Amino acid sequence: MLIDELIQKVKSYNENADFDMIINAYKMAEEHHKGQKRNSGEDYIIHPLNVSLILADMNMDTPTIVAGLLHDVVEDTDVTLEDVKNEFGQEVADLVDGVTKLKKLNYKNKEEKQAENIRKMVLAMAQDIRVIIVKLADRLHNMRTLEYMTDAKKIEKAKETVEIYAPIADRLGMSRIKWELEDLSLRYLDEQGYYELVEMVNKRRNEREDLINHIISILKENLEKVGIKCEIKGRPKNFYSIYKKMKKKGKVFDEIYDLSAVRILTNSVKDCYGALGVVHTLFKPIPGRFKDYIAMPKPNQYQSLHTTVIDNNGETFEVQIRTYEMHQTAEYGIAAHWKYKAGVSKETAFDENLTWLRQLLEWQKDLNDPGDFMDTLKIDFFADEVFVFTPRGDVINLPEGSTPIDFAYRIHSQVGNTCVGAKVNGRIVPLNYTLQSGNIVEVITNPNTSPSLDWLKIVKSPQARKKISQYFKAKDKEKNIERGREAIEREVKKQGYEVHKILRDDWLEQVRDKLNMLSLDEMYAAVGFGTITTAQVTAKLIDIYNKFYKKDEKDVEKIVQLRKRYNSQGIEVKGVDGVNVRIAKCCTPVPGDDIVGYITIGRGISVHRKDCKNMQNNIDPSRLVEVKWQNSNATSYSASIEIRAFDKPNVIGDIANRVNDSKLSISYLNAKVIKNGDAVISITVEITDSEELERLMEKLKRINNVLEVYRVKA
């Protein structure tokens, strides 16, 4: 029986384990999962037993083994956390709770559900890192048996595994778990690519094994001569890492240097460097392919010497050299240095491995949006990284593709906010320079400067992007509050609702709570800045309004009539009533413009300016209709303009201030630098007629550094 195998495996590394507790946990799981089947047709108890066997392979302690056996009972049976606590204690109950998915049912979508479950797991990890070790064991066994799932579920689970769980295993230094998770995921994410790769690897297996055996015999003989006691063996290469190199770097199979590799395990660091000298004496090292992770460990505390060499026959292969202790850390990461094990201090050096987790814990407090949380997780923490140095030699890890601005904000918010330039390896570089591993980065600051909105298009890390956004939100908060309040009022009027009836404080507070905002001012400011849209606010208000007034049929009819009136966009179509009319976004006409209607297929009549380019090219004249503006000023219209200006730090702020001074609202703003170095700023403003737009354009033309202002035609 598997339970006997589990007991024997735990006994092999911990004779003092509480075996009665383990057996009682098995009995509880078996009893309450009775009658439940896995997709494979096996009894469900097979899964928690296998999870516990994986944990035992990592030499985990008794509470973790017990949590592995019980990790699904609260989620899938009638057992409660209180039951687990009464039977096995608070420690086990907390571990089980950490890996139990949230049961809240009113998620908007799968993505939000996934994000909130991952967030719960991160919070539990911060309290007890054993939570994620149980979760990784659970995911590993599920991936081993994924073949019994539906095709859609296979893809979903494989993608989640490779994006979330394998990177977590990597962060914790658990390379053996990481490699297996990646290889199992690849089989379902790109089945054809996976089996083609397996075939290519197998074709040359005998040839590589002969090469490895020959290298091992040469190394053993020469290392014995210099008195270095060691163990040498071939090192398997996981398929996913080969696949990623071929896809990402555009390499063919034969260009992967480390397909053939040997690993040398020694008793001391001194012997590691001694063995390296022997390797480089016997074989020619390839320039740029040596890495010393002993002197400079990876953030997950991985230590080893890596070198790629070439023999006299032109065959290349990788050699890894490390101590036995380093090897244990490389294979099992944080589990190899388990701080709950007897005799191990709770304050171990390996706790440095969890710096990223503490950092994520701080950041998640500010990430209300599930999408922002998942972006931060995948990009800032789990994406491929570059490792750069401060001038003092401190190592900073950043997402691949990061710039000096990302580096500056990683150091401190104020360093980022006052950054004006950077030096890489002593040479001044532009702020959009892509940092490479090994760069020494120095930030040049000026206390009298401030960030540019253009930086949002340059930075790679969500952390930097969030801090830049926070700067502009704080700087223009009062203006954004007023802008947001006015935008919401305009939108409810446009929808046909009376402001005093729908913008009630208690209803607004309900909407604020649903949007996870701290206060009404925060919500208004978010609308004014563009973080949330007026539609997100008004849709929730209208829902509350309709529920409140659902019995008042006269009021409902009044709203319907008002909405019919405003759905016409203030435009009269000659000879036609009740048709859906919409303002064309390509040229955004406003009252006062000469306009023409165009009958679209299935979307009513699209109204364009007569000088719109889209109305002059390849159209069917028979579908043109006569339209005119109604005498109504009850709504507002979007108008798009472009501004060409010198690329100066304050030009965007000056434009925004000028629009605000005109009592108008910006619904869209985008800026880019063109080839000649000028900036082109595109904005969409809410106005009532063309005269108001003309007045605004004249004001914008008078701003310093502005060269040209013009309407967008198409």
Side-chain angles (χ1 to χ4, degrees):
M1 288 179 64
L2 284 175
I3 185 60
D4 297 325
E5 184 183 340
L6 176 64
I7 294 297
Q8 290 305 313
K9 191 168 282 192
V10 174
K11 196 173 286 185
S12 69
Y13 66 85
N14 183 8
E15 291 184 353
N16 297 318
D18 189 338
F19 296 105
D20 287 339
M21 182 187 281
I22 294 172
I23 291 169
N24 288 338
Y26 167 72
K27 288 178 179 177
M28 175 183 271
E30 184 182 42
E31 178 187 346
H32 289 278
H33 284 303
K34 193 171 185 178
Q36 294 179 355
K37 299 285 186 181
R38 304 198 80 218
N39 289 339
S40 62
E42 295 177 312
D43 289 337
Y44 196 88
I45 190 63
I46 295 297
H47 171 61
L49 267 169
N50 273 283
V51 169
S52 295
L53 282 167
I54 292 169
L55 293 169
D57 283 335
M58 292 186 272
N59 294 1
M60 295 308 297
D61 60 355
T62 301
T64 311
I65 301 293
V66 169
L69 287 165
L70 300 174
H71 76 276
D72 275 337
V73 291
V74 174
E75 189 174 328
D76 295 337
T77 77
D78 57 358
V79 174
T80 65
L81 276 175
E82 193 65 25
D83 294 333
V84 175
K85 177 184 171 183
N86 292 338
E87 187 71 28
F88 301 100
Q90 187 69 53
E91 186 178 6
V92 170
D94 287 342
L95 289 173
V96 171
D97 184 36
V99 295
T100 300
K101 291 178 184 173
L102 296 167
K103 289 192 175 180
K104 178 183 168 187
L105 298 177
N106 57 334
Y107 293 110
K108 293 178 190 171
N109 49 48
K110 273 187 180 179
E111 289 72 23
E112 182 178 336
K113 183 177 180 181
Q114 181 202 40
E116 291 308 317
N117 277 314
I118 297 292
R119 191 197 293 266
K120 177 181 186 263
M121 187 178 68
V122 167
L123 292 169
M125 283 163 61
Q127 297 299 316
D128 192 330
I129 199 65
R130 289 176 295 180
V131 166
I132 192 56
I133 296 176
V134 175
K135 190 66 183 175
L136 287 172
D138 171 46
R139 178 52 61 110
L140 181 56
H141 185 252
N142 279 331
M143 291 302 295
R144 286 174 178 173
T145 55
L146 196 61
E147 62 191 284
Y148 299 105
M149 293 280 197
T150 63
D151 288 344
K153 206 70 175 174
K154 288 175 187 175
I155 297 294
E156 179 189 329
K157 291 295 181 186
K159 189 176 180 186
E160 184 182 58
T161 298
V162 88
E163 288 182 350
I164 303 294
Y165 291 100
I168 288 178
D170 186 42
R171 280 283 187 171
L172 298 175
M174 302 167 72
S175 61
R176 180 173 288 191
I177 303 292
K178 175 207 170 201
W179 290 341
E180 188 174 353
L181 287 174
E182 287 177 338
D183 285 351
L184 289 167
S185 299
L186 179 59
R187 185 186 304 175
Y188 300 103
L189 292 173
D190 184 356
E191 186 176 1
Q192 182 180 348
Y194 174 80
Y195 285 109
E196 283 178 358
L197 186 57
V198 170
E199 187 179 351
M200 284 188 282
V201 170
N202 287 337
K203 270 184 182 178
R204 296 185 54 186
R205 183 182 300 277
N206 292 337
E207 182 185 329
R208 278 200 311 278
E209 285 179 353
D210 290 342
L211 171 65
I212 294 299
N213 291 333
H214 176 64
I215 291 165
I216 289 174
S217 64
I218 293 174
L219 287 172
K220 272 186 179 175
E221 181 183 343
N222 284 274
L223 288 168
E224 284 175 3
K225 284 181 182 177
V226 295
I228 295 177
K229 293 182 179 179
C230 61
E231 182 184 339
I232 310 173
K233 51 190 173 184
R235 180 187 69 82
K237 183 75 176 171
N238 78 308
F239 293 121
Y240 185 78
S241 62
I242 302 171
Y243 177 87
K244 202 159 73 164
K245 284 183 180 179
M246 291 172 67
K247 288 285 184 183
K248 190 172 181 181
K249 299 182 180 179
K251 292 187 174 184
V252 297
F253 184 72
D254 290 334
E255 291 178 316
I256 307 296
Y257 280 132
D258 50 359
L259 280 173
S260 300
V262 296
R263 181 176 290 139
I264 302 172
L265 302 180
T266 72
N267 292 312
S268 67
V269 173
K270 177 185 173 185
D271 283 347
C272 287
Y273 286 101
L276 177 68
V278 172
V279 171
H280 283 179
T281 301
L282 295 168
F283 308 103
K284 188 179 294 183
I286 295 177
R289 297 286 303 172
F290 169 67
K291 293 182 179 120
D292 187 346
Y293 293 120
I294 292 180
M296 195 179 80
K298 289 184 179 182
N300 63 10
Q301 301 304 302
Y302 174 88
Q303 288 184 288
S304 188
L305 298 175
H306 290 195
T307 184
T308 304
V309 296
I310 187 167
D311 68 6
N312 293 331
N313 297 317
E315 294 284 354
T316 59
F317 57 94
E318 185 186 57
V319 181
Q320 294 182 354
I321 309 168
R322 60 179 75 142
T323 66
Y324 288 99
E325 185 180 354
M326 290 173 191
H327 180 62
Q328 189 72 2
T329 298
E331 293 281 291
Y332 294 111
I334 197 165
H337 290 250
W338 190 241
K339 67 182 182 180
Y340 290 89
K341 289 178 180 174
V344 179
S345 167
K346 288 196 175 186
E347 297 298 325
T348 67
F350 206 82
D351 282 348
E352 294 172 17
N353 192 5
L354 301 181
T355 302
W356 67 275
L357 179 56
R358 289 191 289 271
Q359 197 175 48
L360 178 58
L361 196 65
E362 285 301 310
W363 289 358
Q364 68 88 28
K365 293 175 186 175
D366 300 324
L367 300 171
N368 295 317
D369 183 78
D372 287 345
F373 174 74
M374 293 303 287
D375 285 346
T376 298
L377 198 68
K378 291 176 185 177
I379 298 173
D380 252 16
F381 290 97
F382 297 156
D384 289 338
E385 295 177 307
V386 293
F387 301 94
V388 297
F389 296 93
T390 68
R392 294 169 53 185
D394 296 325
V395 180
I396 303 292
N397 58 306
L398 294 164
E400 191 173 52
S402 289
T403 67
I405 302 172
D406 292 284
F407 176 88
Y409 277 105
R410 181 59 60 87
I411 299 300
H412 195 276
S413 297
Q414 192 57 25
V415 175
N417 288 342
T418 57
C419 172
V420 293
K423 290 182 180 179
V424 172
N425 301 333
R427 183 173 61 87
I428 291 178
V429 297
L431 288 177
N432 63 353
Y433 176 86
T434 301
L435 298 175
Q436 307 294 324
S437 287
N439 286 160
I440 300 171
V441 186
E442 180 182 352
V443 180
I444 303 168
T445 60
N446 181 338
N448 298 317
T449 194
S450 59
S452 165
L453 276 172
D454 291 341
W455 288 4
L456 290 171
K457 293 181 287 185
I458 297 173
V459 295
K460 181 70 175 177
S461 62
Q463 178 203 17
R465 191 173 291 110
K466 185 172 183 62
K467 288 183 176 179
I468 294 165
S469 295
Q470 284 175 337
Y471 172 85
F472 283 102
K473 284 180 189 175
K475 178 186 175 187
D476 299 323
K477 187 171 183 179
E478 291 304 318
K479 291 180 182 176
N480 284 327
I481 289 171
E482 189 60 32
R483 194 177 291 140
R485 186 182 286 114
E486 290 174 357
I488 292 169
E489 286 185 7
R490 275 199 307 275
E491 184 64 22
V492 295
K493 284 180 183 177
K494 187 176 177 180
Q495 292 284 341
Y497 294 85
E498 296 177 67
V499 171
H500 72 280
K501 275 196 169 186
I502 194 168
L503 295 185
R504 288 174 36 169
D505 287 346
D506 55 335
W507 292 356
L508 286 165
E509 285 290 350
Q510 288 181 49
V511 174
R512 173 203 62 74
D513 187 54
K514 289 178 180 179
L515 292 171
N516 294 316
M517 293 290 165
L518 296 174
S519 66
L520 283 180
D521 279 352
E522 288 292 332
M523 183 178 76
Y524 291 136
V527 173
F529 187 74
T531 308
I532 59 175
T533 65
T534 52
Q536 286 175 277
V537 176
T538 54
K540 289 177 174 60
L541 277 171
I542 290 168
D543 185 51
I544 297 169
Y545 181 98
N546 289 339
K547 287 176 182 175
F548 184 80
Y549 285 113
K550 63 182 177 181
K551 293 181 181 177
D552 190 341
E553 293 182 3
K554 289 182 180 178
D555 197 79
V556 171
E557 179 60 27
K558 183 179 177 183
I559 293 298
V560 169
Q561 292 302 321
L562 279 168
R563 294 188 76 176
K564 279 184 179 177
R565 175 185 169 194
Y566 289 116
N567 281 346
S568 71
Q569 303 285 345
I571 291 167
E572 182 181 319
V573 182
K574 187 176 180 180
V576 179
D577 288 323
V579 68
N580 185 36
V581 176
R582 63 187 181 86
I583 300 292
K585 292 183 178 179
C586 55
C587 56
T588 57
V590 297
D593 289 335
D594 290 332
I595 54 176
V596 64
Y598 190 76
I599 301 171
T600 63
I601 299 173
R603 298 178 66 190
I605 293 174
S606 176
V607 177
H608 297 256
R609 293 191 352 233
K610 281 187 176 178
D611 62 354
C612 176
K613 290 178 182 177
N614 289 335
M615 289 294 99
Q616 298 164 15
N617 300 317
N618 300 319
I619 62 166
D620 181 355
S622 67
R623 288 162 65 180
L624 292 173
V625 293
E626 187 179 331
V627 294
K628 67 178 182 179
W629 298 105
Q630 293 176 338
N631 295 323
S632 171
N633 59 357
T635 189
S636 63
Y637 300 84
S638 296
S640 299
I641 59 177
E642 283 192 352
I643 303 134
R644 193 165 64 86
F646 292 121
D647 184 22
K648 299 294 182 182
N650 296 320
V651 71
I652 293 177
D654 292 340
I655 290 168
N657 288 335
R658 194 61 54 93
V659 175
N660 189 59
D661 292 342
S662 300
K663 306 296 183 185
L664 299 176
S665 177
I666 297 176
S667 59
Y668 171 83
L669 186 149
N670 184 50
K672 62 184 177 182
V673 178
I674 55 180
K675 286 183 180 179
N676 66 358
D678 292 346
V680 175
I681 301 101
S682 303
I683 65 171
T684 300
V685 291
E686 301 295 320
I687 59 166
T688 55
D689 55 39
S690 58
E691 290 183 6
E692 191 171 43
L693 183 62
E694 288 295 332
R695 288 194 296 271
L696 173 64
M697 291 171 67
E698 287 301 318
K699 289 179 182 179
L700 295 175
K701 288 175 184 177
R702 293 196 289 270
I703 296 175
N704 287 339
N705 297 313
V706 168
L707 302 171
E708 189 178 6
V709 181
Y710 46 89
R711 287 278 300 274
V712 175
K713 289 189 177 180

